[in-house]
Amino acid sequence: ALQLTLAGFVVQTTDGVLDWGFDAAQVDHLKTLGYDVQVIDMVELADETFTRADADALDLLLISESIGSSNADPLRGTSAPVMHQEAYGWDNWGFMGAADNIHWLATQTEVEVVNDTHPIMVDAGFPLGILPWYTAPDQYTTENISNLAPGAELLCKAATADEDSAVVFAVETGAELANGSLAPNRRVGFSIPGNRDGLNQVDGIIDASIMADEQWALYDAAIRWLDPPTAAMIVSDANLANGFDQAQHDRLGAMGYAVTVATGSDVADGVFTPADAETFDVLIVSESIGSSQANNLIGANVPMMHQESYGWSRHFFTQGLNKAWKTCLLYTSDAADDLA
């Protein structure tokens, strides 16, 4: 589970009220994911109350479709991971070439999954083909797929037969943007309406309950990819050459963790401190280290899996009265017969 982390959400409000598009629903949803959500009215970017330096301090930045296409431009280049929902601003951020065919598609209920191998789609578990998007017809903004930046990977397109329009895409850190620059962190384009009109508005407020469960599931997978849980591994060899260290590292990666490796010597020498450990969602102490090398992490406020039983007593998990290696025999039917 995510520790409480900070997400910034750039929106348009009406006198501070979240009454545009799905903005209020997203704030509530992000809180259920464990985020402390800072709502940033677009006027705060214009008057520099909120700057790119402020964005850099966030764990996650979301930009709503409710804003104007250029309102979030002062935050371009932020080191924070970004979900950008305003298709009319995708070209400004280099996710697309010069605006070509940005437009609203009306009376939509579905999108089409065109990439089932990207980590977001693998996490969400959706196969190629049609994916429910709304429970009642409504609209979303799109741009031509052919206009995507070289480093953007298309995940979902409009399901309308005569449309070749991007709805969801992902950009990996370091991937090439349309302007030739490299993405400073992960980016996701995710078309969510921020309008106050349309088929499902009531008194000028769109009914966000039409957002299908499948759309929320993909949204969650995109958030996990943008801001993955983190794990630190304390091992004897930074090259992961001992024991099951490499296998564990790969397994954690497959589970969606961003893994940082530190050595037992780093801990013993004070290079990796309890304060460092507490920045991670989980800490793995490998059996490959010396029994005392993790002593400096005693009391660290972080969920910990400690695999070095010779060090358990040092962390007060056991009394350390009978530390020993045991041989594990393979149990087979022949072995059972022999025992009988």
Side-chain angles (χ1 to χ4, degrees):
L2 287 170
Q3 294 179 349
L4 192 63
T5 48
L6 183 59
F9 193 21
V10 179
V11 301
Q12 179 174 185
T13 70
T14 303
D15 297 325
V17 177
L18 289 165
D19 57 357
W20 288 77
F22 292 178
D23 290 351
Q26 289 188 73
V27 169
D28 292 342
H29 190 78
L30 288 164
K31 289 178 179 177
T32 69
L33 297 180
Y35 284 94
D36 180 12
V37 184
Q38 178 181 356
V39 174
I40 306 150
D41 194 297
M42 61 182 187
V43 299
E44 296 179 58
L45 306 187
D47 65 15
E48 298 185 351
T49 302
F50 187 91
T51 67
R52 191 170 73 179
D54 296 319
D56 292 343
L58 298 170
D59 296 294
L60 177 67
L61 176 67
L62 298 95
I63 297 171
S64 170
E65 198 279 328
S66 63
I67 69 169
S69 59
S70 62
N71 287 124
D73 287 359
L75 304 183
R76 287 179 296 188
T78 177
S79 60
V82 176
M83 175 185 281
H84 200 306
Q85 301 165 4
E86 168 56 289
Y88 281 74
W90 287 347
D91 58 326
N92 295 359
W93 281 63
F95 307 148
M96 296 279 183
D100 182 20
N101 191 27
I102 306 173
H103 61 298
W104 286 90
L105 287 182
T107 63
Q108 304 298 304
T109 58
E110 303 167 327
V111 297
E112 182 179 348
V113 176
V114 297
N115 181 338
D116 63 353
T117 62
H118 188 278
I120 292 175
M121 302 309 299
V122 172
D123 181 9
F126 295 134
L128 299 175
I130 298 301
L131 184 72
W133 208 242
Y134 301 133
T135 59
D138 214 286
Q139 55 189 338
Y140 47 64
T141 52
T142 69
E143 166 63 296
N144 284 357
I145 294 169
S146 59
N147 207 22
L148 278 168
E153 294 186 62
L154 181 68
L155 305 185
C156 299
K157 74 179 191 69
T160 307
D162 61 350
E163 290 289 347
D164 192 27
S165 302
V167 179
V168 181
F169 59 86
V171 180
E172 181 59 271
T173 305
E176 184 180 353
L177 299 177
N179 58 12
S181 65
L182 304 181
N185 204 327
R186 288 176 170 177
R187 308 300 197 223
V188 167
F190 200 110
S191 185
I192 298 177
N195 53 302
R196 295 186 64 187
D197 55 7
L199 299 176
N200 295 283
Q201 65 87 22
V202 178
D203 295 330
I205 299 177
I206 192 170
D207 180 6
S209 68
I210 67 165
M211 190 167 170
D213 290 344
E214 290 83 355
Q215 186 180 171
W216 277 124
L218 185 56
Y219 180 99
D220 291 352
I223 294 295
R224 286 190 291 269
W225 184 74
L226 285 167
D227 183 29
T230 57
M233 288 186 66
I234 310 302
V235 300
S236 61
D237 182 348
N239 293 318
L240 304 171
N242 295 321
F244 291 174
D245 289 349
Q246 184 68 62
Q248 291 188 77
H249 178 278
D250 295 346
R251 179 83 173 184
L252 287 164
M255 293 169 64
Y257 282 89
V259 185
T260 297
V261 173
T263 66
S265 296
D266 290 336
V267 176
D269 295 342
V271 176
F272 186 93
T273 68
D276 295 322
E278 290 170 0
T279 65
F280 292 90
D281 293 297
V282 67
L283 176 67
I284 310 293
V285 179
S286 170
E287 197 280 328
S288 65
I289 70 167
S291 59
S292 64
Q293 285 186 309
N295 285 3
N296 285 345
L297 299 181
I298 294 171
N301 184 22
V302 58
M304 179 190 300
M305 176 185 283
H306 199 307
Q307 301 166 358
E308 169 53 287
S309 63
Y310 279 74
W312 288 348
S313 60
R314 300 173 187 272
H315 285 251
F316 311 109
F317 304 151
T318 68
Q319 295 182 348
L321 300 178
N322 189 28
K323 295 181 286 190
W325 282 90
K326 300 293 184 182
T327 300
C328 181
L329 299 176
L330 178 64
Y331 183 83
T332 65
S333 57
D334 291 341
D337 292 339
D338 293 340
L339 290 173

